[in-house]
């Protein structure tokens, strides 16, 4: 029969074991507020990007491309129609690609795919959109019939070209800075490895000294 001291020791060991098992259990309750937990797989809106220059330019590009596409879709008759079809394709493509990039950047989804150079991707998209929007606007201005929808499409097309050009300039600058930082980091890594190799003596040298 256990005495009082043995029972107290046994209870202390049992309570310690229960505390350890509770601490190591992955199903222990959390005190984190429910409102602070991330929902939808950790998606969050990057308000800093949307408030920045690149975010505002992306929103403006999407709105201008959408407006130009709506204007060109309201035209019911055309002859010739090649300029209209080309402008329609360019505005729709720019709207889809730029809208997808806006969603990726604003929700920080691009950080989950670090294998892609997103600065270069943005530079290529904005550069191609600038070129093709400008060409499509020039062609539509030369072949239109001076209707209100065609004139509005041409105006929004040139505005989209200007905004895409500004974004391309900023994206190119950002891409060059990223390349310089990457090359600097790689050179520092190589120099650090070479210095560490020189600091460690070779086994042959140790045996000869001995």
């Amino acid at each position: 029969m256990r005495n009082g001291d043995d029972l107290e020791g046994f209870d202390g060991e049992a309570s310690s074991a229960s505390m350890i098992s509770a601490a190591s259990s992955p199903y222990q309750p959390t005190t984190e507020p429910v409102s602070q937990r991330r929902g939808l797989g950790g998606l969050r809106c990057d308000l800093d990007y949307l408030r920045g220059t690149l975010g505002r330019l992306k929103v403006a590009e999407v709105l201008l491309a959408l407006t130009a596409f709506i204007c060109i879709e309201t035209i019911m008759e055309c002859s010739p129609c090649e300029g209209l079809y080309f402008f329609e394709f360019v505005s729709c493509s720019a709207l889809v690609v730029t809208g997808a990039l806006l969603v990726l950047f604003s929700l920080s989804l691009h950080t989950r795919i670090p294998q892609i150079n997103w600065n270069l991707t943005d530079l290529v998209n904005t550069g191609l959109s600038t070129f093709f929007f400008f060409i499509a606007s020039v062609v539509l201005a030369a072949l239109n019939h001076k209707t209100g929808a065609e004139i509005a499409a041409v105006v929004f097309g040139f505005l989209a070209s200007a905004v895409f050009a500004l974004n391309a300039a900023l994206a190119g600058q950002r891409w060059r800075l990223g390349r310089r930082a990457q090359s600097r980091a790689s050179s520092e890594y190589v120099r650090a490895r070479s210095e560490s190799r020189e600091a460690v003596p070779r086994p042959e040298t140790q045996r000869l000294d001995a």
Side-chain angles (χ1 to χ4, degrees):
M1 184 175 183
R2 298 178 183 270
N3 53 21
D5 296 336
D6 295 337
L7 292 176
E8 290 178 359
F10 178 76
D11 294 339
E13 293 176 356
S15 61
S16 300
S18 62
M19 290 175 63
I20 294 174
S21 62
S24 60
S25 175
Y27 300 103
Q28 55 184 337
T30 180
T31 57
E32 182 183 359
V34 178
S35 60
Q36 294 182 359
R37 296 178 183 176
R38 294 181 177 180
L40 299 177
L43 295 181
R44 61 181 181 84
C45 182
D46 190 356
L47 296 179
D48 293 334
Y49 173 77
L50 294 176
R51 293 169 182 170
T53 303
L54 292 177
R56 292 179 179 180
L57 288 175
K58 276 285 179 292
V59 173
E61 290 163 4
V62 171
L63 294 178
L64 290 173
L66 177 61
T67 306
F69 180 73
I70 292 175
C71 291
I72 207 68
E73 286 297 311
T74 58
I75 301 174
M76 296 292 125
E77 297 179 358
C78 61
S79 178
C81 298
E82 288 79 8
L84 188 145
Y85 292 153
F86 181 60
F87 189 92
E88 181 183 14
F89 173 77
V90 170
S91 59
C92 181
S93 301
L95 174 62
V96 172
V97 177
T98 307
L101 290 177
L102 176 61
V103 172
L104 288 173
F105 293 155
S106 61
L107 296 180
S108 299
L109 294 176
H110 64 289
T111 58
R112 302 185 180 183
I113 314 176
Q115 296 82 4
I116 299 178
N117 190 336
W118 293 105
N119 291 331
L120 181 59
T121 302
D122 190 25
L123 174 60
V124 171
N125 173 64
T126 51
L128 292 177
S129 298
T130 301
F131 175 77
F132 285 110
F133 243 126
F134 181 78
I135 297 299
S137 300
V138 171
V139 172
L140 185 62
L143 299 179
N144 64 26
H145 301 84
K146 302 298 186 295
T147 62
E150 289 175 322
I151 295 175
V154 170
V155 171
F156 284 109
F158 281 118
L159 289 176
S161 302
V163 176
F164 274 112
L166 179 58
N167 194 354
L170 295 178
Q173 181 181 4
R174 195 172 183 180
W175 175 65
R176 287 192 297 269
L177 292 176
R179 285 195 62 183
R180 291 176 183 174
Q182 185 177 3
S183 61
R184 191 182 303 113
S186 61
S187 62
E188 290 178 357
Y189 173 75
V190 172
R191 185 173 64 253
R193 288 202 60 177
S194 62
E195 291 177 355
S196 63
R197 288 178 179 177
E198 293 174 357
V200 176
R202 296 181 179 179
E204 295 81 359
T205 305
Q206 291 180 352
R207 285 197 297 268
L208 291 175
D209 294 341

